[in-house]
Amino acid sequence: MRQGSLFSALQRASQRAPSLTSLSYGREISCSAAWGQSNNQLTSQVTATRCVSRAAIINNNQTCVSRHFSSRPETKSVLRLHAVTLKHSDYEDELDEARWDVPEEETHLDPTDSRKMEEEEEATWWLYDGTQESRDVLAAMRAKKAQKDRWIKNASPPVRVSEIDERGRAYGRGSRKSAQARVWIQPGEGEIVVNRTDFLTYFPRETHRDHILGPFVASQTCGKFDVTAVVNGGGLTGQAGAIRLGLARALEKYNPDYRPPMKRHGFLTRDPRMVERKKVGRVKARKSPQWVRR
């Protein structure tokens, strides 16, 4: 078959080929095509060793053919048929399942923390020169700054809230000398009970009663709370002081607004004074026996 007839046969065959899909230019493949003069008969078979710059694929697994000849040498056609992860720019031929895993989102610093780090770097850029001495000095500066921040935080007053139990009571504990008192307060008519005994009966001296009622006077809550106290140890003076401290602490827990006036009068301070021990050669802690000249 001559060259002209071969070219005309290829041209007719490409026109009769069903459902061609164009691919990229510059591809060269080797293929065989056979079509008949009619739809049911095979009339000619053409073997093409070289393809033109445009290649095609026939649907339903039919052979592919090119329309123009090329003088370039044959090269193997490389068609990418598998999925490509476009997000991460992965164009390798090997299909790796791990490449489809989306990486976890990176944790970002708080803008405030990053700004503090930048300010610290700007303040200490002249100090750090890469030597061990500069690292030690920078670490000491950071430790001192952290200690200063901790001192400022500890110096700030704590936030106080009301502490009331399910029965509507506030609790306070007090002590004085060797006496220990537990005090509960709740809204009422001002009734005070000490060790299941009436207040006036348990403390016959008015000085002890005035000593105990001091927190009520300072907070201006006289007659608004009922008091129940349980006290052990010590004498009446020590027990009165223990009840006063427990009562002041209970009022503070019931309403923190009562704290400033009671603190101003010293009702929230534990009295550290204790009985001094007796010394050898003396009658009491300080008292000496009567001196006789002869």
Side-chain angles (χ1 to χ4, degrees):
M1 184 179 292
R2 293 191 303 273
Q3 184 175 0
S5 60
L6 177 62
F7 179 77
S8 61
L10 284 174
Q11 188 174 8
R12 289 194 301 270
S14 61
Q15 293 176 357
R16 293 179 181 179
S19 170
L20 294 180
T21 304
S22 298
L23 297 179
S24 61
Y25 289 89
R27 303 285 187 180
E28 294 184 6
I29 58 175
S30 298
C31 58
S32 298
W35 290 277
Q37 296 294 335
S38 63
N39 293 333
N40 300 326
Q41 297 179 355
L42 178 65
T43 59
S44 62
Q45 181 176 1
V46 180
T47 303
T49 58
R50 295 181 180 179
C51 287
V52 294
S53 59
R54 169 173 288 187
I57 295 178
I58 302 177
N59 291 342
N60 300 328
N61 297 328
Q62 294 184 4
T63 50
C64 53
V65 68
S66 60
R67 296 188 178 183
H68 303 283
F69 288 99
S70 175
S71 60
R72 291 182 295 181
E74 296 181 1
T75 58
K76 185 178 179 181
S77 176
V78 180
L79 301 179
R80 188 180 302 277
L81 300 179
H82 61 273
V84 178
T85 55
L86 299 178
K87 180 178 180 180
H88 306 291
S89 301
D90 181 15
Y91 295 97
E92 296 183 2
D93 293 336
E94 294 81 5
L95 181 61
D96 189 1
E97 294 295 338
R99 299 181 183 276
W100 290 91
D101 297 337
V102 179
E104 297 181 358
E105 296 182 358
E106 299 180 357
T107 57
H108 301 281
L109 293 175
D110 187 13
T112 306
D113 297 339
S114 61
R115 185 166 56 255
K116 290 181 179 179
M117 293 177 62
E118 293 176 358
E119 293 177 357
E120 182 181 1
E121 291 178 358
E122 293 178 358
T124 59
W125 65 269
W126 55 271
L127 179 64
Y128 183 73
D129 57 357
T131 61
Q132 184 63 32
E133 291 79 4
S134 62
R135 295 193 189 97
D136 296 341
V137 173
L138 188 59
M141 291 178 61
R142 290 176 178 174
K144 185 175 180 180
K145 186 176 182 302
Q147 185 180 20
K148 182 178 179 181
D149 296 340
R150 187 165 56 252
W151 286 346
I152 294 175
K153 182 179 179 181
N154 294 337
S156 59
V159 178
R160 304 181 185 277
V161 296
S162 299
E163 299 180 13
I164 303 175
D165 59 7
E166 62 278 1
R167 298 176 61 179
R169 303 180 304 177
Y171 171 74
R173 181 184 176 277
S175 60
R176 169 77 170 92
K177 295 184 179 180
S178 59
Q180 304 290 332
R182 294 175 294 168
V183 182
W184 291 268
I185 64 171
Q186 58 185 352
E189 298 178 355
E191 182 180 0
I192 302 176
V193 177
V194 180
N195 291 344
R196 297 183 179 181
T197 306
D198 183 63
F199 174 65
L200 300 178
T201 304
Y202 195 88
F203 292 102
R205 298 178 61 178
E206 292 186 2
T207 55
H208 293 161
R209 301 173 188 172
D210 297 340
H211 194 72
I212 293 173
L213 298 177
F216 283 137
V217 176
S219 59
Q220 299 180 1
T221 55
C222 293
K224 296 182 179 180
F225 294 96
D226 290 340
V227 181
T228 302
V230 177
V231 60
N232 299 314
L236 293 179
T237 303
Q239 291 181 355
I243 293 174
R244 187 183 75 167
L245 180 60
L247 178 60
R249 290 177 175 176
L251 286 171
E252 178 194 3
K253 290 183 178 179
Y254 190 88
N255 188 355
D257 296 338
Y258 297 153
R259 177 181 173 84
M262 292 189 299
K263 185 70 174 179
R264 193 179 307 113
H265 290 84
F267 294 145
L268 293 172
T269 303
R270 204 274 190 191
D271 192 349
R273 296 177 297 176
M274 301 292 290
V275 178
E276 189 175 351
R277 65 175 293 271
K278 178 184 177 302
K279 275 67 171 191
V280 178
R282 296 181 180 270
V283 178
K284 294 193 298 183
R286 302 288 180 92
K287 183 178 179 181
S288 300
Q290 183 178 3
W291 179 75
V292 180
R293 184 172 183 179
R294 293 182 176 86

